[in-house]
Amino acid sequence: MPHFTPPLAPLHTQSTPFRESVWTILRTIPYGRTITYKEIAQTLACQRGIAKMSAQAC
């Protein structure tokens, strides 16, 4: 298991608050683990205080 996080370089030169919040979630995934788009959407919905969010938005 690596003890570092490799540098991440998103392909989009212009970021949005939504994209930044997705990247924040992605950075929390432990090495060797996966999460689904649905799980990301559920986390974002919870952070925003809404019932649900489309996983396609992520």
Side-chain angles (χ1 to χ4, degrees), residues 8 15 19 23 35-36 40 45 51:
L8 301 174
S15 190
R19 287 180 181 161
W23 275 104
I35 65 172
T36 65
I40 294 170

Side-chain angles (χ1 to χ4, degrees), residues 3-55:
H3 298 282
F4 67 94
T5 301
L8 301 174
L11 298 176
H12 303 288
T13 56
Q14 292 184 352
S15 190
T16 64
F18 176 79
R19 287 180 181 161
E20 291 298 323
S21 55
V22 172
W23 275 104
T24 299
I25 293 168
L26 294 176
R27 288 185 194 105
T28 67
I29 303 169
Y31 178 79
R33 295 284 314 261
T34 59
I35 65 172
T36 65
Y37 287 122
K38 180 180 179 180
E39 291 170 305
I40 294 170
Q42 289 171 333
T43 301
L44 289 170
C46 183
Q47 289 174 353
R48 295 168 187 252
I50 57 177
K52 63 182 179 175
M53 177 180 278
S54 170

